[in-house]
């Protein structure tokens, strides 16, 4: 029996420090053929959850590195009757978090590009090294398939100077590439375009506030199809309160922790990136648990929720002023798509600003884009599920084949 063909499909890879998320999909039909997640790579025990055409498999064992994880994934495909290397796979799309000043468009990966991604790793030390490992591992096993890097920062590359510039010594900022880069750009672009499609409006005429709320969270102001501001900055640390990240804090806190608490830079880095946010406030970064505990009267969870909402509302107000006219406010990602209380509470009491949430519409759970505001609301509020994998697959195909 010959191996099954998946001609024209794209393998999308999102490599973390100890994980590897992947999906094989057809960017034209949007069919998801396979997807999976390898976890605890390089640890004592590892696991891969793999789904192919609706059939689920869980494999446990030891994956010493990302190349071993990729090799095991290819073996799982082989057991499904698919030889990925000779199946008609059209391209591989790699999510890369930080493009620095070098990359502001999807880019075909060669040795020069790999070297440049490595050079800018200090701009995203928690993300880019892992992304690079994923690129190298997949390239080693699929050397003949075109590989394309799609950068989280690309959508925000042309932010207005007033929004992208920090009030820091200009020479220092220039020398060390310090500016607001913004992140989750693939999601913000996909969702803002999908919103225009959902409303039957011209993307180039629509003013939107997009809230990408997950364990990592960011917000953007998109004016007539062009992002004019976003909450994340030089790194994915700035802005909204997140699962384990502080979001905005006074930079003087870092000096205080170093001088008074005697903490090293690495200790502070770990604190603000991995031990803060919701987890730092109440010991829990699973938003469902935070809500459950807050509803049950847990004071630390209630405070965490209130701090989270306070930051959301502050940025919503700021972006409403910055845009001047707002046509749509859009929620996406894990929390944004599934936590109805967050949507309702973040926009509560804003009827005088033309924002009215319909409680029944807001309570509906669906995987489809939907309006949750009332018919009388002058600003349309929507939930639009993000699909970064589809966006990456489409961009990878366009770069690899010049479409």
């Amino acid at each position: 029996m010959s191996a099954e063909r998946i001609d024209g499909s794209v393998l999308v890879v999102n490599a973390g420090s100890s994980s590897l998320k992947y999906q094989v999909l057809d960017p034209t039909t949007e069919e998801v053929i396979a997807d999976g997640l390898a976890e605890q790579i390089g640890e004592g025990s590892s696991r891969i959850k793999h789904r192919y055409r609706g059939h689920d498999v869980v494999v446990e064992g030891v994956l010493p590195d990302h190349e071993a994880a990729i090799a095991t994934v290819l073996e799982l495909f082989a057991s499904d009757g698919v030889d990925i290397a000779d199946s008609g796979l059209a391209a591989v799309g790699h999510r890369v978090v930080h493009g620095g000043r070098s990359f502001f468009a999807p880019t075909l990966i060669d040795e020069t590009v790999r070297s440049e991604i490595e050079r800018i790793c200090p701009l995203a030390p928690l993300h880019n090294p892992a992304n690079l490992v994923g690129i190298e591992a997949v390239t080693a096993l699929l050397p003949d398939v075109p590989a394309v890097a799609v950068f989280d920062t690309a959508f925000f590359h042309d932010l207005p100077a007033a929004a992208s510039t920090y009030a820091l010594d200009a020479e220092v900022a220039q020398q060390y590439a310090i500016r607001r880069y913004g992140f989750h750009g693939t999601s913000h672009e996909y969702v803002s375009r999908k919103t225009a499609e959902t409303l039957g409006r011209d993307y180039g005429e629509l003013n939107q506030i997009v809230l990408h709320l997950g364990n990592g969270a960011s917000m953007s102001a998109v004016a007539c199809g062009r992002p004019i501001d976003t909450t994340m900055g030089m790194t994915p640390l700035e802005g909204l309160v997140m699962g384990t990240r502080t979001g905005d804090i006074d930079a003087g806190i870092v000096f205080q922790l170093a001088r008074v608490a005697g903490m090293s830079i690495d200790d502070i880095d770990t604190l603000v990136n991995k031990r803060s946010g919701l987890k730092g406030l109440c010991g829990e970064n699973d938003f469902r648990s935070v809500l459950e505990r807050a509803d049950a009267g847990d004071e630390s969870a209630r405070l965490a929720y209130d701090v989270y909402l306070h930051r959301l509302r502050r940025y919503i107000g700021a972006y409403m002023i910055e845009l001047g006219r707002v046509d749509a406010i859009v929620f996406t990602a894990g929390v944004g798509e599934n936590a109805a209380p967050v949507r309702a509470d973040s926009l509560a009491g804003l009827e005088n600003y033309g924002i009215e949430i319909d409680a029944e519409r807001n309570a509906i759970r669906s995987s489809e884009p939907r309006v949750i505001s009332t018919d009388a609301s002058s600003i349309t509020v929507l939930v639009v599920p993000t699909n970064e994998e589809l966006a990456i697959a489409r961009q990878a195909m366009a770069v690899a084949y010049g479409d």
Side-chain angles (χ1 to χ4, degrees):
M1 180 184 296
S2 60
E4 181 173 349
R5 305 288 296 177
I6 51 175
D7 298 88
S9 297
V10 176
L11 169 63
V12 175
V13 177
N14 183 356
S17 58
S18 61
S19 67
L20 183 85
K21 184 180 180 182
Y22 61 92
Q23 190 173 108
V24 175
L25 68 159
D26 186 321
T28 302
T29 65
E30 303 184 13
E31 177 192 8
V32 176
I33 298 167
D35 61 274
L37 174 65
E39 301 175 284
Q40 296 176 292
I41 298 171
E43 301 179 17
S45 61
S46 310
R47 166 191 280 194
I48 295 181
K49 299 176 183 178
H50 174 80
R51 178 187 293 114
Y52 180 78
R53 298 197 185 280
H55 177 62
D56 295 326
V57 175
V58 177
V59 176
E60 297 185 349
V62 177
L63 300 172
D65 52 36
H66 283 73
E67 190 166 347
I70 289 291
T72 303
V73 169
L74 297 188
E75 290 172 6
L76 289 170
F77 275 110
S79 68
D80 294 320
V82 181
D83 178 358
I84 285 286
D86 188 31
S87 64
L89 191 70
V92 179
H94 291 273
R95 179 193 179 216
V96 180
V97 167
H98 214 308
R101 291 186 294 203
S102 304
F103 301 110
F104 45 89
T107 305
L108 193 66
I109 299 171
D110 57 19
E111 188 55 45
T112 300
V113 172
R114 281 198 292 268
S115 296
E116 183 62 11
I117 293 173
E118 183 174 17
R119 188 189 69 79
I120 61 178
C121 277
L123 291 174
L126 300 180
H127 299 89
N128 271 34
N131 302 154
L132 191 61
V133 167
I135 289 170
E136 292 172 344
V138 174
T139 300
L141 293 165
L142 300 174
D144 298 324
V145 181
V148 176
V150 177
F151 299 91
D152 262 18
T153 50
F155 185 54
F156 300 113
H157 180 265
D158 292 323
L159 284 175
S164 65
T165 305
Y166 288 108
L168 187 71
D169 180 282
E171 291 184 6
V172 172
Q174 176 64 26
Q175 181 177 355
Y176 296 103
I178 296 172
R179 56 155 285 180
R180 180 179 305 281
Y181 290 96
F183 299 87
H184 296 143
T186 305
S187 177
H188 283 277
E189 181 175 17
Y190 174 86
V191 169
S192 59
R193 288 185 179 277
K194 192 70 175 180
T195 296
E197 178 186 319
T198 300
L199 297 177
R201 299 280 299 275
D202 185 337
Y203 183 57
E205 296 180 355
L206 202 64
N207 282 3
Q208 309 179 49
I209 298 173
V210 180
L211 294 87
H212 176 109
L213 306 180
N215 195 49
S218 62
M219 193 183 302
S220 66
V222 182
C224 299
R226 178 173 175 252
I228 61 170
D229 210 344
T230 187
T231 54
M232 285 181 168
M234 177 177 169
T235 75
L237 179 60
E238 190 180 1
L240 305 177
V241 175
M242 299 174 235
T244 65
R245 286 173 253 172
T246 58
D248 294 339
I249 60 169
D250 181 346
I253 293 171
V254 175
F255 311 147
Q256 175 79 356
L257 293 173
R259 292 168 178 160
V260 178
M263 296 178 69
S264 69
I265 289 298
D266 287 343
D267 290 338
I268 297 171
D269 191 326
T270 299
L271 174 67
V272 298
N273 274 296
K274 298 182 178 180
R275 294 171 45 208
S276 297
L278 295 172
K279 186 173 184 178
L281 289 169
C282 69
E284 180 63 69
N285 64 298
D286 185 315
F287 208 91
R288 293 164 297 186
S289 298
V290 174
L291 282 174
E292 289 173 1
R293 286 173 50 188
D295 289 342
D298 185 301
E299 292 185 6
S300 64
R302 172 51 58 182
L303 176 61
Y305 183 72
D306 290 345
V307 171
Y308 183 92
L309 277 180
H310 179 78
R311 193 75 55 82
L312 282 183
R313 289 172 65 88
R314 177 194 292 177
Y315 272 111
I316 290 169
Y319 285 177
M320 287 179 69
I321 292 173
E322 196 167 355
L323 286 166
R325 185 197 83 243
V326 179
D327 300 303
I329 296 175
V330 194
F331 292 87
T332 193
V335 175
E337 294 171 27
N338 297 298
V342 170
R343 299 192 294 262
D345 292 344
S346 62
L347 299 176
L350 300 181
E351 291 80 9
N352 288 341
Y353 297 92
I355 302 171
E356 295 182 3
I357 297 293
D358 183 299
E360 291 186 4
R361 291 175 179 175
N362 188 39
I364 294 172
R365 296 180 67 91
S366 172
S367 60
E368 298 298 321
R370 58 201 184 276
V371 172
I372 61 169
S373 50
T374 67
D375 294 338
S377 182
S378 60
I379 296 176
T380 306
V381 183
L382 304 92
V383 178
V384 176
T386 191
N387 194 335
E388 293 172 273
E389 288 81 10
L390 177 59
I392 291 171
R394 286 173 171 170
Q395 292 179 56
M397 283 287 281
V399 171
Y401 298 97
D403 294 337

